[in-house]
Amino acid sequence: MKMIIGIGVIVLLVFFIEWIGPLVLDKTSLSDDLKALIVAVADACMATACYIFIFRIYEQRLIRELSRKKFISNAAIGSLTGILLQALIILVIWLAGTFLVVQVNPVSMLIKPFAFALTAGFVAEIMIIGIVFRLLEEQTGTKIAFFIFIVLFAMMHINVKGATSISVMATAIQAGFMLPAAYVFSRNLWLPIFLHFGWDFAEPGIFGGINPSSSLTHGLLTSKIAGNPLFTGGETGPQDSLQSLLLCLLLGIIFLVLAKKKNNLIKPRWQITATNK
């Protein structure tokens, strides 16, 4: 019930912003890019405020996972990590000789990818990690929650157009393991939010790669990516390449090892109940 209420309210209000925003902003002389940025900032603020309001009341607690004290450090680390991961993925493609920069575009071309990544990072991770994973982990424990998430994301992407075994595994590891592991390590939502943001911003926004969830085809760079789909990701883009799968798996394992050292892993509720009897 908590999941249904939390996700339902956030989705409803974000949809409202996506509807009312353009209606209001279209009456101004602002550029389309600035309009998109304003709507994205509103989406991010609304999703964050809704989460804090709903679960502060529902669970009668302070929302420490969105503490302002940890915002700057986690935002910086998350964003830079996401961008660095994409840079390493592109580096492998470049070393294979199949990444070509066709054109360098004005810096203003970064605005729309920034807006897309901001909405994706905040709305998706607040709902997926903050609500679904967090509440699932409280019941099943960390290990089982990871297993369920990996399987769930794999099943959701099996029938995606152009999907391959590598792309399905890559998506399952990225969304079902790496991002939840970032949360378990930090016990803070800012880290997975901005890791997702940096990832989605860099792929189309900086390197001009295909992002399956975005219609953007270029940003700062207009690039041509060709070659073996194993390393380029094929139809679904660089994030679904072999090197992406391996890098995200490695980072997820690092997060998990560090989380274990910090005693951040949670046991299933039934084990805790049995121990306390």
Side-chain angles (χ1 to χ4, degrees), residues 4-259:
I4 294 171
I5 292 173
I7 292 174
V9 172
I10 291 174
V11 168
L12 183 64
L13 291 175
V14 168
F15 272 144
F16 175 75
I17 290 173
E18 291 285 333
W19 171 71
I20 198 69
L23 289 180
V24 174
L25 294 172
D26 283 347
K27 297 179 181 179
T28 70
S29 58
L30 295 172
S31 68
D32 289 342
D33 287 353
L34 286 177
K35 291 175 186 176
L37 181 59
I38 291 170
V39 171
V41 171
D43 285 341
C45 291
M46 180 60 74
T48 305
C50 280
Y51 179 89
I52 292 172
F53 178 76
I54 291 169
F55 289 100
R56 181 179 286 168
I57 293 174
Y58 212 137
E59 299 177 341
Q60 293 294 301
R61 65 180 180 88
L62 293 175
I63 309 300
R64 293 185 176 87
E65 62 269 28
L66 285 174
S67 169
R68 286 177 293 177
K69 294 180 181 179
K70 298 180 180 180
F71 175 81
I72 294 177
S73 60
N74 281 286
I77 293 170
S79 298
L80 292 173
T81 301
I83 293 170
L84 178 60
L85 279 172
Q86 287 288 355
L88 291 173
I89 292 166
I90 295 297
L91 176 61
V92 173
I93 300 173
W94 179 77
L95 290 173
T98 56
F99 180 82
L100 175 66
V101 176
V102 177
Q103 180 178 314
V104 178
N105 300 307
V107 176
S108 60
M109 293 295 290
L110 290 171
I111 296 176
K112 191 165 285 186
F114 184 94
F116 157 73
L118 194 67
T119 298
F122 271 79
V123 177
E125 297 315 317
I126 283 176
M127 291 194 300
I128 295 172
I129 304 297
I131 298 178
V132 181
F133 181 83
R134 181 179 65 82
L135 294 176
L136 180 65
E137 185 191 25
E138 287 178 1
Q139 297 296 322
T140 67
T142 305
K143 295 178 182 178
I144 295 176
F146 272 128
F147 175 77
I148 292 172
F149 252 50
I150 292 170
V151 172
L152 179 63
F153 276 99
M155 292 176 63
M156 288 170 59
H157 290 82
I158 287 176
N159 294 319
V160 170
K161 183 181 177 181
T164 64
S165 57
I166 294 295
S167 72
V168 171
M169 287 190 292
T171 301
I173 291 299
Q174 291 153 14
F177 179 61
M178 179 183 70
L179 289 170
Y183 166 71
V184 172
F185 160 68
S186 63
R187 286 300 169 192
N188 190 288
L189 285 173
W190 296 128
L191 185 59
I193 284 172
F194 280 94
L195 177 51
H196 188 161
F197 161 78
W199 175 275
D200 275 1
F201 172 62
E203 189 168 34
I206 297 176
F207 300 111
I210 298 170
N211 186 294
S213 58
S214 169
S215 59
L216 298 169
T217 55
H218 59 269
L220 185 63
L221 302 177
T222 299
S223 60
K224 182 179 180 180
I225 300 175
N228 191 331
L230 193 65
F231 301 109
T232 65
E235 291 183 48
T236 50
Q239 72 174 34
D240 286 337
S241 61
L242 177 62
Q243 67 269 25
S244 174
L245 167 61
L246 296 176
L247 284 168
C248 293
L249 178 61
L250 176 61
L251 181 59
I253 291 171
I254 291 171
F255 278 140
L256 201 54
V257 169
L258 294 175

